[in-house]
Amino acid sequence: MLISALDPHFGSDFPPAVPLGDTDFREASFTAGATDTGFRRACFTRCLFTGVRMTGCDFSGCEFRSVRFVNCDFSGSRFASAFFDGCVMTGVKMLGCDCTDSVIRSCLWESCNFSFTNFDHAQLRALTSRECNFDDASLSACTQKDWRPEGCRMRRVSFFQTRLSGVDLSDCELEALTLSDTMSELRGVTMAPGQCVLLARRLGIRLV
C-alpha cells in the first residue's frame, strides 16, 4: 500500500490501521503523532516529520530514506534493525530507544537527545552527530566508518568492543566510559590532552 501527500485519505496523522510490512510512505508530511503503534517494516521515503510525538511505537525493520525529523519525540520507541539512509534529525528526542542492529548511513544528527538509547551492534557509516547527548547510551559491538561526533556529550557511554579508530572525540565531553580492560577501543582515536589525563588515571598512571 502506498500512502503519499497526494492521497485524499491521508492527513497530517497516520491512518488508524497500517498493514504491517506492506506500507510505503512517500513524500508525506507528518505533524501529529501516535502512541504505542506498530509500523514494523514500513518504508518512509522523502518524508518530513515535524513536531510529532510518537512514544512507545514500534519501527522495527523500517526503512527511512531521505527523511527529515524536526523537533520530534520518539522516546521509548523501537528501531531495532531499522535502516536510515540520507536522513537528517534536528532537535529530536530518542530517550531510551531500542536501535540495536540498526544501519545508519550518510545521516546528520543535530542537537538530538539519545540518552539511555541502545545502539548495540549498529552500523554507523558517514554519520555526523553535532551537539548531541549520548549520556548513558550503549554503543557496544558497533561497527563504524567515518563517524564524526562534534561537541557531543558522552558520559557513562558504553563503547565496549566498538573500534573507534579514526574518530575525533577531542571536542566531546567524556566521562566514565565503559571500555574493555585494555581500552583497545580507543586505538587510533583523536583526543584532547585533558581527556587523555582522565584515561591515564583510569590506568593507574600518575602524571606529575
Side-chain angles (χ1 to χ4, degrees), residues 54-97:
M54 303 191 68
T55 57
C57 293
D58 191 354
F59 293 94
S60 298
C62 285
E63 296 185 13
F64 299 90
R65 300 179 181 272
S66 300
V67 175
R68 185 175 181 85
F69 305 87
V70 181
N71 298 328
C72 300
D73 187 355
F74 293 99
S75 298
S77 293
R78 298 192 65 220
F79 292 88
S81 300
F83 178 78
F84 296 85
D85 182 25
C87 297
V88 177
M89 289 188 180
T90 305
V92 174
K93 292 182 180 180
M94 298 276 287
L95 279 70
C97 287

Side-chain angles (χ1 to χ4, degrees), residues 28-64:
S29 180
F30 306 99
T31 57
T35 303
D36 298 325
T37 303
F39 299 94
R40 293 171 60 91
R41 300 183 302 280
C43 182
F44 300 83
T45 304
R46 297 187 300 277
C47 294
L48 173 64
F49 291 76
T50 306
V52 301
R53 186 175 186 272
M54 303 191 68
T55 57
C57 293
D58 191 354
F59 293 94
S60 298
C62 285
E63 296 185 13
F64 299 90

Side-chain angles (χ1 to χ4, degrees), residues 90-106:
T90 305
V92 174
K93 292 182 180 180
M94 298 276 287
L95 279 70
C97 287
D98 177 6
C99 296
T100 55
D101 297 297
S102 58
V103 176
I104 302 161
R105 186 174 69 184
S106 301

Side-chain angles (χ1 to χ4, degrees), residues 76-77 93-100 113-120 133-139:
S77 293
K93 292 182 180 180
M94 298 276 287
L95 279 70
C97 287
D98 177 6
C99 296
T100 55
N113 193 339
F114 299 100
S115 295
F116 295 97
T117 292
N118 188 345
F119 291 100
D120 289 355
N133 183 355
F134 290 93
D135 286 355
D136 299 288
S138 183
L139 292 94

Side-chain angles (χ1 to χ4, degrees), residues 6-204:
L6 300 179
D7 191 325
H9 302 292
F10 180 76
S12 61
D13 205 348
F14 288 99
V18 178
L20 301 185
D22 191 30
T23 303
D24 189 356
F25 297 91
R26 294 183 186 175
E27 300 180 352
S29 180
F30 306 99
T31 57
T35 303
D36 298 325
T37 303
F39 299 94
R40 293 171 60 91
R41 300 183 302 280
C43 182
F44 300 83
T45 304
R46 297 187 300 277
C47 294
L48 173 64
F49 291 76
T50 306
V52 301
R53 186 175 186 272
M54 303 191 68
T55 57
C57 293
D58 191 354
F59 293 94
S60 298
C62 285
E63 296 185 13
F64 299 90
R65 300 179 181 272
S66 300
V67 175
R68 185 175 181 85
F69 305 87
V70 181
N71 298 328
C72 300
D73 187 355
F74 293 99
S75 298
S77 293
R78 298 192 65 220
F79 292 88
S81 300
F83 178 78
F84 296 85
D85 182 25
C87 297
V88 177
M89 289 188 180
T90 305
V92 174
K93 292 182 180 180
M94 298 276 287
L95 279 70
C97 287
D98 177 6
C99 296
T100 55
D101 297 297
S102 58
V103 176
I104 302 161
R105 186 174 69 184
S106 301
C107 292
L108 171 63
W109 296 343
E110 293 185 295
S111 303
C112 297
N113 193 339
F114 299 100
S115 295
F116 295 97
T117 292
N118 188 345
F119 291 100
D120 289 355
H121 301 281
Q123 298 180 38
L124 312 179
R125 297 286 186 271
L127 166 66
T128 297
S129 51
R130 187 172 298 147
E131 297 182 354
C132 294
N133 183 355
F134 290 93
D135 286 355
D136 299 288
S138 183
L139 292 94
S140 298
C142 294
T143 58
Q144 68 80 26
K145 183 177 181 181
D146 197 22
W147 178 28
R148 298 180 297 276
E150 302 173 0
C152 293
R153 195 164 71 182
M154 299 179 174
R155 301 180 300 183
R156 300 173 301 279
V157 175
S158 175
F159 288 119
F160 184 69
Q161 295 184 345
T162 295
R163 297 183 61 181
L164 297 173
S165 179
V167 177
D168 186 348
L169 297 174
S170 60
D171 66 347
C172 295
E173 181 181 347
L174 308 180
E175 179 183 312
L177 302 181
T178 298
L179 305 166
S180 61
D181 292 339
T182 61
M183 297 197 296
S184 59
E185 295 85 353
L186 298 181
R187 289 173 184 167
V189 169
T190 299
M191 304 183 75
Q195 295 170 327
C196 295
V197 169
L198 294 176
L199 293 175
R201 291 174 179 171
R202 173 172 174 170
L203 290 172

